[in-house]
């Protein structure tokens, strides 16, 4: 199992796929239209995810849904820092989901232990220089542009090869800027600058992504391409009904020893990973 360097000891020793539970601290993130957008509810929800098996809680204050407008750095800080501070006190391992070096810096000061950058260092020219000030794991996602434009950035010759090439180029940029290679985990960015159909060759090509030589984290949870696949009578499956499809992907990724999955429903993916891991142990004994 490949994993990035710089992980907290309790995660570094684990030899199975990790579960990163999603906590979007954004006004539109909860199904009741924002009623739960308060720090205390976010904290309780995170504790529940950990109880359900989350190894990491990924906290993001800026929506990256297609079409989402950017928020100010102050807004982003106001949303994430109080939650990170409290959860870090509880001993929960937190990653901060941000494209901004300033937010990453303050999140790390507040206790975040991983940096999850959906822009892979492309959105903020200060991100790589910030990274050189610590040695925490850095999740570098494949990214071509902000949420307002990414749906127009889907021209690929061969989506899998192009994503691999673009990730490799960005790794080279990071390493030239002084970021240690060993701390980088790669993410192909399912749904980011990809059409619904373009996500499938990527999931079918995990081995090619692994050939880049770095650990992988993949986030498919409840995404649109799953809803489209499950279309019935011309209607895509609702976001609330995509859990089995999400778990199917988790299972396949765990069987390929992908380092981590980013999911909303922690319990179902955590259970699936336990089953895969148990079978893998049997295979290595036999
Ligand atoms: N997807 C979203 C947000 N952050 N981070 C990583 N590393 N990988 C992802 O695929 C990813 C991410 C968007 O999904 P959400 O709006 O359901 O959180």
């Amino acid at each position: 199992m490949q994993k990035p360097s710089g992980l907290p000891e309790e995660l570094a020793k684990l030899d199975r796929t990790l579960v990163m539970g999603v906590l979007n601290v954004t006004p539109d993130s909860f199904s009741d239209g924002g009623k739960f957008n308060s720090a205390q509810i976010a904290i309780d929800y995170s504790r529940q995810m950990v109880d359900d098996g989350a190894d990491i809680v990924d906290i993001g204050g800026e929506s990256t849904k297609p079409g989402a407008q950017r928020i100010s750095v102050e807004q982003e800080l106001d949303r994430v820092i109080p939650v990170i501070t409290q959860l870090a006190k509880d001993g929960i391992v937190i990653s901060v989901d941000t494209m901004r070096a300033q937010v990453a810096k303050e999140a790390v000061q507040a206790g975040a232990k991983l940096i999850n950058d959906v822009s892979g260092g492309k959105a903020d020219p200060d991100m790589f220089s910030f990274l050189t000030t610590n040695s925490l794991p850095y999740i570098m996602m494949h990214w071509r542009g902000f949420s307002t434009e990414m749906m127009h950035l889907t021209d690929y010759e061969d989506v899998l090869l192009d994503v691999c090439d673009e990730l490799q180029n960005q790794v080279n940029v990071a390493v030239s800027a002084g970021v240690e290679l060993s701390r980088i985990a790669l993410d192909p960015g399912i749904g980011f600058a990809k059409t619904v159909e373009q996500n499938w060759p990527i999931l079918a090509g995990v081995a090619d992504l692994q050939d880049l030589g770095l650990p992988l984290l993949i986030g498919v949870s409840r995404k649109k391409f799953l809803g489209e696949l499950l279309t019935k009578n011309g209607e895509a499956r609702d976001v609330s009904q995509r859990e089995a499809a999400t778990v199917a992907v988790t299972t396949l990724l765990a069987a390929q020893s992908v380092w981590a999955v980013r999911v909303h429903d922690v319990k179902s993916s955590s259970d699936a990973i336990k089953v895969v891991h148990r079978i893998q142990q049997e295979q290595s004994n036999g």
Side-chain angles (χ1 to χ4, degrees):
M1 168 76 60
Q2 259 205 316
K3 40 195 127 166
S5 62
L7 282 169
E9 183 50 35
E10 68 265 34
L11 297 189
K13 68 180 187 215
L14 295 176
D15 210 20
R16 58 160 169 80
T17 298
L18 302 191
V19 178
M20 172 186 272
V22 177
L23 181 72
N24 288 324
V25 197
T26 57
D28 62 348
S29 14
F30 292 95
S31 50
D32 72 338
K35 193 168 80 195
F36 289 150
N37 186 35
S38 79
Q40 189 53 48
I41 304 254
I43 289 160
D44 292 346
Y45 183 77
S46 301
R47 290 179 179 143
Q48 183 62 49
M49 285 200 287
V50 171
D51 200 48
D52 286 344
D55 300 294
I56 302 165
V57 172
D58 188 43
I59 302 181
E62 179 171 40
S63 175
T64 50
K65 288 194 168 68
Q69 300 289 330
R70 297 219 70 190
I71 56 167
S72 70
V73 65
E74 291 76 19
Q75 263 177 313
E76 195 182 343
L77 287 166
D78 283 350
R79 289 179 186 179
V80 300
I81 299 300
V83 181
I84 293 174
T85 305
Q86 183 58 47
L87 291 175
K89 278 191 202 139
D90 286 4
I92 293 175
V93 178
I94 296 149
S95 63
V96 59
D97 185 346
T98 186
M99 299 185 262
R100 289 183 163 122
Q102 181 66 22
V103 176
K105 183 176 169 198
E106 295 196 28
V108 168
Q109 282 164 355
K113 295 280 189 263
L114 299 92
I115 297 135
N116 175 24
D117 178 2
V118 299
S119 84
K122 287 185 173 171
D124 186 339
D126 294 333
M127 184 59 89
F128 292 152
S129 60
F130 159 67
L131 289 178
T132 62
T133 65
N134 62 68
S135 28
L136 299 175
Y138 175 65
I139 297 153
M140 173 187 278
M141 202 187 81
H142 176 259
W143 189 84
R144 284 182 159 191
F146 291 103
S147 300
T148 44
E149 56 175 14
M150 68 180 177
M151 57 291 251
H152 308 300
L153 302 173
T154 57
D155 280 349
Y156 296 90
E157 248 179 57
D158 175 315
V159 67
L160 176 61
L161 289 181
D162 294 354
V163 166
C164 287
D165 283 351
E166 289 170 32
L167 280 172
Q168 183 62 60
N169 287 341
Q170 196 60 7
V171 167
N172 296 344
V173 174
V175 170
S176 311
V179 179
E180 305 113 293
L181 182 65
S182 65
R183 63 192 281 202
I184 300 175
L186 296 177
D187 181 335
I190 295 297
F192 286 80
K194 321 281 184 307
T195 63
V196 160
E197 286 305 314
Q198 284 168 343
N199 295 298
W200 295 109
I202 295 172
L203 291 177
V206 163
D208 289 22
L209 286 158
Q210 285 172 322
D211 283 346
L212 296 173
L214 292 173
L216 291 184
L217 177 144
I218 299 186
V220 305
S221 184
R222 299 179 181 168
K223 284 187 178 169
K224 182 179 170 200
F225 77 113
L226 296 176
E228 295 285 335
L229 180 76
L230 304 175
T231 292
K232 201 168 153 188
N233 301 330
E235 267 198 48
R237 179 73 65 82
D238 186 73
V239 68
S240 64
Q241 303 294 315
R242 298 176 187 167
E243 226 47 73
T246 300
V247 174
V249 180
T250 292
T251 306
L252 277 170
L253 297 178
Q256 293 172 92
S257 298
V258 163
W259 167 61
V261 291
R262 181 181 179 279
V263 294
H264 299 87
D265 188 69
V266 164
K267 199 181 245 176
S268 54
S269 278
S270 174
D271 287 358
I273 289 166
K274 277 194 188 125
V275 171
V276 171
H277 187 58
R278 181 67 188 86
I279 294 171
Q280 284 171 334
Q281 282 175 322
E282 206 63 32
Q283 286 168 335
S284 60
N285 290 341

